[in-house]
Amino acid sequence: MTGRQEVLHVSGHGSCRPAVTVAVSLYDYAAYIGDCLDSVRAQTLGATEIIVVDDASNDDGGARAARWMRRHGHRFVRAMLLRQMTNAGLASARNVALERASAPLFFVLDADNMLYPRCLERLAAALAADRKSVFAYPVIEAFGDSPGLMGTSTWSRDRLASGNYIDAMTLIRTRRLRTLGGYAQMSVPGWEDYDLWCRFATRGWTGVRVPEILARYRTHQASMLNTTTRREARAATLIDEMRSRHPWLTISTGRH
């Protein structure tokens, strides 16, 4: 389900079909949106489109994104900024972008994270080489309050059963994601990506890991996982919901 949106900006050179749609979900991250968008502009993959969905932010992140697109929109096949009329949550924001996407590959990027320049190029190459895989994911450098590496393990349904280890920053075949109806609206936001990988696994769909550090994940106290998902009562609710949706999971408190 997606809510009502207004289109705040559309530009781009429109000279070819994009190879990748980058979907940026934005909510109260005005301080970070510029760095995020700059990292997309710096991609070595040329034929890209970018869709930013402002989920009714309370700050001026949407205005900053609009100014950025007026300056740099010509770099993309298409650059679009949408604003939700009411805050509808992460799944809705991503699904709004999915509805508008025109590329065969779809990359999810939250507004506080960033990409290294070869990210989209390397992930797209991995999917071109592995036609059976539905998505490709990189090794991710976590920085900020809790530095480290993420996405270091290969795809495994058995490993997924005990907890999520793949971030949302992945390149997904658009048609397959639409087949599933996009991201599910969870009772408590934060595990939409985990639920998606579980739905992939249930259908026997697989992902391919690209063993290169290609993206940066910002860890800070204002992040969704810190402010919403990791509160004990809500985490327990999420675990119960995930087990209900995917009975093969063995996840327990503290293992996500």
Side-chain angles (χ1 to χ4, degrees):
M1 296 283 294
T2 59
R4 294 176 54 224
Q5 313 94 39
E6 58 178 333
V7 178
L8 300 183
H9 178 92
V10 180
S11 61
H13 59 76
S15 62
C16 62
R17 184 187 182 194
V20 171
T21 298
V22 179
V24 179
S25 51
L26 170 63
Y27 180 70
D28 287 357
Y29 277 155
Y32 306 127
I33 185 62
D35 289 342
C36 173
L37 297 179
D38 282 343
S39 77
V40 181
R41 181 169 64 96
Q43 291 300 295
T44 56
L45 183 70
T48 56
E49 102 177 325
I50 184 168
I51 301 175
V52 178
V53 180
D54 178 7
D55 194 20
S57 294
N58 298 300
D59 61 16
D60 68 338
R64 295 189 185 194
R67 289 195 296 270
W68 187 93
M69 285 192 173
R70 286 194 292 270
R71 290 195 302 270
H72 303 298
H74 62 276
R75 176 260 187 258
F76 299 93
V77 178
R78 184 173 65 156
M80 175 179 288
L81 173 63
L82 303 162
R83 178 175 171 83
Q84 301 264 64
M85 303 303 289
T86 58
N87 179 255
L90 185 61
S92 175
R94 291 175 178 173
N95 289 338
V96 166
L98 180 63
E99 290 175 358
R100 303 271 187 159
S102 60
L105 301 174
F106 187 81
F107 188 89
V108 169
L109 180 61
D110 292 340
D112 56 337
N113 297 328
M114 293 177 285
L115 308 180
Y116 281 115
R118 297 184 68 208
C119 182
L120 298 181
E121 179 185 1
R122 298 294 295 129
L123 295 180
L127 287 179
D130 186 350
R131 297 289 183 178
K132 292 183 179 179
S133 288
V134 173
F135 69 101
Y137 62 99
V139 178
I140 297 171
E141 173 194 12
F143 70 102
D145 294 344
S146 302
L149 294 179
M150 305 161 59
T152 57
S153 298
T154 57
W155 170 260
S156 166
R157 172 176 165 142
D158 291 341
R159 185 178 289 111
L160 196 67
S162 62
N164 190 25
Y165 62 95
I166 301 174
D167 185 66
M169 283 188 280
T170 59
L171 188 63
I172 307 170
R173 299 192 192 276
T174 305
R175 181 175 59 83
R176 294 294 188 95
L177 186 54
R178 285 174 172 160
T179 296
L180 292 185
Y183 289 84
Q185 193 78 43
M186 307 290 290
S187 61
V188 176
W191 285 6
E192 293 85 356
D193 50 336
Y194 187 24
D195 174 73
L196 184 65
W197 314 145
C198 290
R199 286 192 283 155
F200 282 3
T202 297
R203 288 160 177 78
W205 297 353
T206 60
V208 58
R209 181 179 69 98
V210 176
E212 301 175 40
I213 299 174
L214 297 172
R216 305 190 74 205
Y217 179 93
R218 189 187 303 270
T219 59
H220 53 98
Q221 291 304 308
S223 70
M224 178 176 292
L225 286 176
N226 280 323
T227 58
T228 302
T229 309
R230 287 180 179 160
R231 294 173 184 169
E232 289 187 9
R234 292 186 175 185
T237 299
L238 270 172
I239 289 170
D240 288 344
E241 181 175 357
M242 288 294 293
R243 284 174 168 171
S244 175
R245 294 172 65 86
H246 311 288
W248 49 273
L249 293 182
T250 59
I251 187 173
S252 59
T253 303
R255 297 182 69 183
H256 180 86

